[in-house]
Amino acid sequence: MESDLNTADFNIFFALPALVTIIVIIILFSSKRWRALLWEHTLIAGLVITLLLMNSIELLTFGHIYKNYDLLLRAYYIISIISSSLFLSLSERLNHQEIVPRYPLYITIILINFGFIYSILNSDLLIFGALRTSYTILRIPGNYYWLIQIFILFCLIAGTYLIWRSIDRSKNPLDKKRRTVILYSFIPIIFTAFFVITLMHFGLLINLSI
């Protein structure tokens, strides 16, 4: 379902966060050292790719470059869920000692992802539709949209704790430094997600780009 909402005219500054993120990711991919790191670490590569896709979709929504708003919005949330799952899996993998059995955890995450993807694509329970504004698109939440928010927040909170735990228990100074860099790299994304979800609860018209 698609609806229209009259809002302020499009301003190029609204698209800057997504554009800057895409440029930064492209720069990282152009670095030989980062390409080697991404090639060796599948979870990091998957996380970077999903972040690139999310920001590309956000960029497409500005100015209504792509017209199938409902499909674009559903794709965005699917990628967001996958990205959150990769962050949690990466954070768990940084710990040398398993907190919970690793493979049952991964299987559970995969099954949850399939459940979300199926529901988003085949029902209106999670995403009821797309709301088109003068410059972008917003979601019309379904009755169980809160499940998406809880899952994303859980992945971010648990993932942040797991990275901090791996830093605290790491005995190798180089490993400790690498994990600290990873944590600091994701802090802006984590705070942004919390900020946006909080504003959504107060009924503000906002998405992850603004």
Side-chain angles (χ1 to χ4, degrees), residues 1-3 53-54 57-58 60-61 66-81 120-121 124 126-132 136-142 145 148 200 206-208:
M1 187 190 81
E2 296 179 5
S3 300
L53 289 173
M54 287 168 59
I57 290 176
E58 289 180 353
L60 286 174
T61 66
Y66 186 78
K67 300 300 182 182
N68 194 336
Y69 310 113
D70 188 76
L71 179 61
L72 205 61
L73 186 74
R74 292 176 189 273
Y76 179 86
Y77 274 97
I78 288 173
I79 297 171
S80 299
I81 290 166
I120 289 173
L121 292 177
D124 297 327
L126 299 174
I127 305 294
F128 188 75
L131 181 64
R132 182 176 61 179
T136 187
I137 58 173
L138 304 171
R139 88 280 182 270
I140 301 175
Y145 173 76
I148 296 178
M200 283 179 175
I206 192 169
N207 64 12
L208 289 177

Side-chain angles (χ1 to χ4, degrees), residues 27 36 41 53 61 92-93 108 118 130-131 157 165 189 199-200 208:
I27 292 174
H41 299 278
L53 289 173
T61 66
E92 191 278 332
R93 196 67 181 268
T108 301
Y118 180 84
L131 181 64
I157 294 172
R165 183 178 184 273
I189 298 174
L199 292 180
M200 283 179 175
L208 289 177

Side-chain angles (χ1 to χ4, degrees), residues 18-123:
L19 187 60
V20 169
T21 303
I22 291 173
I23 292 173
V24 170
I25 292 175
I26 292 174
I27 292 174
L28 290 178
F29 271 112
S30 66
S31 167
K32 185 177 181 180
R33 180 178 297 179
W34 267 93
R35 284 202 306 271
L37 177 65
L38 295 174
W39 183 258
E40 293 175 3
H41 299 278
T42 307
L43 290 173
I44 295 178
L47 188 55
V48 171
I49 290 171
T50 54
L51 291 174
L52 178 62
L53 289 173
M54 287 168 59
N55 283 275
S56 298
I57 290 176
E58 289 180 353
L59 203 59
L60 286 174
T61 66
F62 289 109
H64 308 303
I65 299 173
Y66 186 78
K67 300 300 182 182
N68 194 336
Y69 310 113
D70 188 76
L71 179 61
L72 205 61
L73 186 74
R74 292 176 189 273
Y76 179 86
Y77 274 97
I78 288 173
I79 297 171
S80 299
I81 290 166
I82 294 173
S83 183
S84 301
S85 301
L86 288 172
F87 176 70
L88 178 61
S89 301
L90 171 64
S91 303
E92 191 278 332
R93 196 67 181 268
L94 292 175
N95 287 270
H96 295 298
Q97 295 181 343
E98 296 182 0
I99 299 176
V100 296
R102 181 162 290 168
Y103 290 106
L105 172 65
Y106 290 166
I107 292 173
T108 301
I109 292 174
I110 291 172
L111 291 176
I112 291 174
N113 274 250
F114 274 121
F116 273 122
I117 293 171
Y118 180 84
S119 297
I120 289 173
L121 292 177
N122 295 282
S123 76

